[in-house]
Amino acid sequence: MVSRSEQRFIKINFITIIVTLLVILAGGIVRSTGSGMGCPDWPKCFDRYIPPTDVSQLPANYKEKYVAGRIKKNEKFARYLEGMGKVALADSIRNDKSITLPEEFNPAKTWVEYLNRLTGVFAGLFLLLTAIYSFTYRKTAKRIIFLSILNILVVGYQAWLGSIVVSTNLAQWVVTVHMLLAIVILAISIYTYNYAKQLGKTPSVIMYRILWLKGFLLFTLVISIIQIVLGTEVRESVDVIAKSLSYGLRGTWIDKVGDIFSYHRDLAILVVVCNAIVYKMVIDRFSGKAAPLLTARFILITLLIQLLSGFALAYIAFPPAAQAVHILFSTLLFSLQFYLYLLVYRTSTYKQ
C-alpha cells in the first residue's frame, strides 16, 4: 500500500513534470517572439528584480554597461572551454562581433523573457520539493533520492548555461545544449515518477516475451532526440536569417535555411512511421484502459499536433504561435515515448 508521504512525492513529482513542460513552452514563446535578449543581464533584468516598463527606468549608459559585462563573462566562459580542450569554440566566442552589439530596449520583449525566467524559478522550486520529499524512500528506494538530487544539480547547471545563453547573445550551439539539458531534466523526473508508482508492484509486462518491443521503443526514442536536435538547429538558423531580414519577409525564412531543414523534414517521416509501428505493437498486446495503450494513444495525438504545427511553420510563413506549439509538443512527444518505454520495461525487481 502506498503511504501518504509516498503519494505526496508522486504528486509533487508529477507537478514538476508539468511545470518543466511549461518552462519549455515559455522558452518557445521567447524564441518565437525574438525576446531572448529582452533582459540583457542575468539573473536580474536591467539590474532590477521587477523589470522596467519604460526607457526612463533604465540604468544610465545601460547599453555600454551590459555589453561590457557580456564581454567579461564570455571571456571567462572562453577560458572554461579552453580548459576542456575546446579551443576553436573559445575563439569563436571571442571573435563573435554580435556580442558587442547592444540590444534596444523593448518592454514587451523584456516582460516575455522575465515571465520565462519566473516559470523557470517555479520549476526549480518544485524540483527542490521533489528532492526533499524523495527522502521518504530512504529505506526502500535510495535510487529515487539520488536521481532527485542529481536533477537539482542538472537544473543548477542549466541555470548557469541560461546565463551563458544571454551573455553570448544566443550563441547557436549553446542554445542546443540548453534544450538537451531540458530533456535530461524531464527524463529524470519521468523516471523517478514511474519508479515511485511501480515500487513494490508486480510488473504487468514480462519483457522477455516482447524484448523486441523494448528495443524498438528505444530506437524510436533515439530518433526523436535526433529530430529535436535537428529542429533546434533549424530554429537557430531561422533566428539568424530573421535577424538579418529585420524580422520581415517571414515567408522566405525556411527557403534560406538550407539542407538542415530538409534533414529535419525527412526525418519526420521516420518518426511518424516508427510511432505508428509502436502503436500497432501496443494495441496488439493491451486492451481497455491499460496505461501503455493510453500512453500510445496520447503519443499519436501529440504527433498529429506536432506535424500540423511543423506544416504551418514550413508552409504558412512561420507563424509565431506554431513555433511555441512545435517546441512544446516535440518535448511532450519525447516525454510520452520515454514514459511508454518505462511502462513496458521489465527489471528483475523494483526494489533498491
Side-chain angles (χ1 to χ4, degrees):
M1 182 176 177
V2 180
S3 67
R4 177 175 293 183
S5 61
E6 290 172 341
Q7 290 176 345
R8 181 178 58 187
F9 172 82
I10 292 171
K11 181 179 179 180
I12 292 296
N13 198 338
F14 181 75
I15 294 173
T16 300
I17 294 169
I18 300 301
V19 175
T20 302
L21 287 168
L22 289 177
V23 173
I24 293 171
L25 173 61
I29 294 173
V30 167
R31 298 292 298 280
S32 65
T33 57
S35 303
M37 293 301 295
C39 294
D41 51 335
W42 191 96
K44 293 183 180 180
C45 186
F46 290 102
D47 276 347
R48 300 164 64 103
Y49 288 108
I50 304 298
T53 56
D54 187 81
V55 69
S56 63
Q57 299 172 301
L58 299 177
N61 301 319
Y62 74 94
K63 292 183 179 180
E64 295 82 0
K65 176 182 178 180
Y66 294 124
V67 167
R70 284 208 303 267
I71 293 173
K72 183 178 179 180
K73 188 165 192 173
N74 288 339
E75 178 56 35
K76 291 182 180 179
F77 185 50
R79 290 198 296 268
Y80 167 75
L81 291 173
E82 285 178 335
M84 297 175 60
K86 307 293 184 181
V87 177
L89 282 177
D91 289 340
S92 68
I93 288 177
R94 289 193 177 103
N95 297 323
D96 186 354
K97 300 302 181 184
S98 68
I99 293 173
T100 63
L101 299 177
E103 293 289 325
E104 295 294 334
F105 173 67
N106 182 313
K109 292 182 177 182
T110 293
W111 275 85
V112 168
E113 169 60 14
Y114 177 70
L115 292 175
N116 173 48
R117 294 184 184 187
L118 277 184
T119 310
V121 170
F122 278 112
L125 288 175
F126 275 103
L127 282 162
L128 181 60
L129 287 174
T130 300
I132 292 171
Y133 291 144
S134 70
F135 281 87
T136 192
Y137 297 99
R138 60 188 177 277
K139 295 182 179 179
T140 56
K142 289 187 173 64
R143 184 185 305 184
I144 292 177
I145 300 174
F146 171 77
L147 290 173
S148 298
I149 293 174
L150 176 63
N151 226 6
I152 292 292
L153 298 177
V154 175
V155 168
Y157 187 81
Q158 176 79 322
W160 171 78
L161 195 63
S163 71
I164 298 299
V165 169
V166 173
S167 68
T168 57
N169 206 3
L170 309 179
Q172 295 185 20
W173 66 271
V174 181
V175 174
T176 299
V177 176
H178 198 56
M179 182 65 180
L180 287 175
L181 277 179
I183 293 174
V184 170
I185 293 167
L186 263 177
I188 293 174
S189 295
I190 292 168
Y191 183 90
T192 54
Y193 171 77
N194 179 72
Y195 196 91
K197 286 196 69 175
Q198 300 299 331
L199 192 63
K201 295 181 180 179
T202 302
S204 60
V205 179
I206 307 302
M207 280 313 306
Y208 66 80
R209 295 179 181 174
I210 51 173
L211 184 62
W212 48 278
L213 171 56
K214 171 188 167 186
F216 194 79
L217 275 168
L218 183 59
F219 172 76
T220 304
L221 265 174
V222 171
I223 294 298
S224 292
I225 293 172
I226 294 172
Q227 180 71 331
I228 288 173
V229 171
L230 289 175
T232 304
E233 292 183 358
V234 169
R235 190 66 189 88
E236 291 167 355
S237 298
V238 168
D239 285 346
V240 174
I241 294 165
K243 197 167 185 177
S244 69
L245 296 174
S246 300
Y247 299 95
L249 302 174
R250 299 181 70 92
T252 67
W253 292 358
I254 285 293
D255 295 334
K256 297 177 183 295
V257 170
D259 291 341
I260 190 68
F261 170 71
S262 299
Y263 300 149
H264 182 61
R265 180 192 57 200
D266 296 345
L267 191 61
I269 298 173
L270 182 59
V271 171
V272 172
V273 171
C274 286
N275 281 284
I277 293 173
V278 166
Y279 181 73
K280 181 64 168 60
M281 289 177 175
V282 171
I283 64 173
D284 285 346
R285 285 159 182 79
F286 301 93
S287 61
K289 296 183 179 180
L293 180 58
L294 293 175
T295 305
R297 288 171 177 167
F298 280 124
I299 286 175
L300 286 188
I301 295 171
T302 301
L303 186 60
L304 176 61
I305 297 173
Q306 178 73 348
L307 289 173
L308 291 174
S309 62
F311 180 87
L313 290 173
Y315 302 109
I316 314 180
F318 230 83
Q323 296 175 51
V325 169
H326 199 64
I327 292 173
L328 172 64
F329 278 82
S330 66
T331 49
L332 181 58
L333 178 62
F334 165 81
S335 301
L336 290 169
Q337 289 172 331
F338 184 56
Y339 185 57
L340 179 60
Y341 176 80
L342 295 176
L343 285 175
V344 301
Y345 183 78
R346 171 73 156 101
T347 57
S348 59
T349 176
Y350 274 100
K351 294 181 181 180
Q352 179 187 344

